[in-house]
Amino acid sequence: MKEKLPQQIPIFPLSGVIYFPKTNLPLNIFEERYLQLVDDCMRSNKLMGMVQSRRDSKEVYKIGCLGEISHFQKTEDGRALIKLTGITRFEIVSEINNTKLYREFKVEYKKFYQDTENEKIQNYSEDVLEKLFEKIQYFFGKNGLALNWKEFKLLGQIQQINTLAMISPFSNEEKQKLLETMSLNEKIKILSEIIEFYLYDKDSALKTPIQ
């Protein structure tokens, strides 16, 4: 798989949106430049990159995720409804000058070779993961967020952790930190720490008397 990954890819930059290998991301495309991007991808290898754009800037983060367009539908009003299936993270090497409406970058994947392999969670018991899921379920409830936990439990462990990291209402910087974390074990640790911080902060605020 590694040899088949393109070294030059089109990029769709979005602030506050990240996704991970082995997860799915639905997108509603309506801007002309990104409609062109999707059309070009559908005519070639169906591969495109997603990366976070930095706040109030044209700059993007260096780490993103390559995905394959696994579903494509054109609407009557000209939009494109697509689903991206994450393959592997990448690191941006440089931007490529082009005459297209969208941006393209030279990228490399060597840091994230484990994304295309069946990485396993090491030294984490089912009890530890269950406690993490309980904290996240409590956190989601406090923030009025819904997740189909029955379907969630049917996912593999990697998909579970990546899905939670992707959909949780964290800051852009926290999401980027999770995306850039090398190992799955470290991702679990950071995810748990972020959740605990938010729960502590929210519970403390509720206990603070109004002056």
Side-chain angles (χ1 to χ4, degrees):
M1 182 65 183
K2 184 176 179 182
E3 289 72 26
K4 297 179 182 178
L5 296 175
Q7 301 304 303
Q8 177 178 327
I9 61 173
I11 292 286
F12 187 176
L14 273 179
S15 178
V17 177
I18 60 170
Y19 84 120
F20 292 81
K22 300 180 175 66
T23 63
N24 295 310
L25 177 66
L27 290 171
N28 177 9
I29 310 294
F30 54 88
E31 289 187 57
E32 184 181 356
R33 54 182 166 171
Y34 298 126
L35 287 170
Q36 184 188 98
L37 184 158
V38 170
D39 286 342
D40 288 349
C41 287
M42 291 302 295
R43 284 194 292 265
S44 58
N45 55 18
K46 299 185 180 180
L47 299 178
M48 60 182 281
M50 288 285 297
V51 69
Q52 276 206 108
S53 55
R54 295 183 181 273
R55 296 178 188 272
D56 304 317
S57 171
K58 291 184 179 180
E59 295 298 314
V60 296
Y61 284 95
K62 292 294 185 184
I63 307 299
C65 185
L66 179 75
E68 180 180 13
I69 300 175
S70 53
H71 174 79
F72 172 83
Q73 178 186 348
K74 270 286 181 71
T75 65
E76 292 183 358
D77 58 3
R79 292 176 294 121
L81 305 178
I82 69 172
K83 181 173 73 174
L84 278 181
T85 299
I87 297 172
T88 179
R89 289 168 290 175
F90 59 80
E91 182 175 18
I92 288 176
V93 176
S94 61
E95 184 162 7
I96 296 167
N97 292 324
N98 64 27
T99 57
K100 300 173 184 177
L101 296 178
Y102 57 85
R103 300 167 73 182
E104 293 178 292
F105 291 83
K106 181 179 178 182
V107 299
E108 58 184 25
Y109 309 92
K110 59 186 179 182
K111 285 185 179 179
F112 307 108
Y113 66 91
Q114 72 273 22
D115 288 350
T116 55
E117 299 176 356
N118 293 319
E119 182 186 6
K120 296 184 183 300
I121 298 174
Q122 303 292 335
N123 302 321
Y124 272 89
S125 67
E126 291 296 328
D127 183 56
V128 170
L129 291 175
E130 281 301 319
K131 286 181 180 178
L132 171 62
F133 296 156
E134 287 174 9
K135 282 191 289 187
I136 290 178
Q137 195 165 5
Y138 179 65
F139 172 66
F140 274 33
K142 275 185 169 291
N143 286 275
L145 302 171
L147 177 64
N148 188 326
W149 291 96
K150 185 176 180 181
E151 287 190 7
F152 173 79
K153 290 298 180 69
L154 298 176
L155 300 175
Q157 287 182 328
I158 296 176
Q159 288 177 303
Q160 288 178 337
I161 299 303
N162 284 345
T163 297
L164 290 173
M166 184 174 73
I167 68 175
S168 295
F170 301 150
S171 70
N172 291 11
E173 293 73 20
E174 287 165 336
K175 286 191 172 187
Q176 190 66 29
K177 183 177 181 180
L178 286 164
L179 180 66
E180 295 182 11
T181 299
M182 298 303 293
S183 74
L184 197 59
N185 283 26
E186 185 65 16
K187 194 181 297 177
I188 292 170
K189 179 176 179 291
I190 293 173
L191 184 59
S192 182
E193 289 172 352
I194 294 173
I195 291 291
E196 287 175 2
F197 170 78
Y198 276 99
L199 287 176
Y200 175 81
D201 190 56
K202 201 172 188 69
D203 288 343
S204 296
L206 290 173
K207 295 175 184 177
T208 302
I210 299 175
Q211 301 296 325

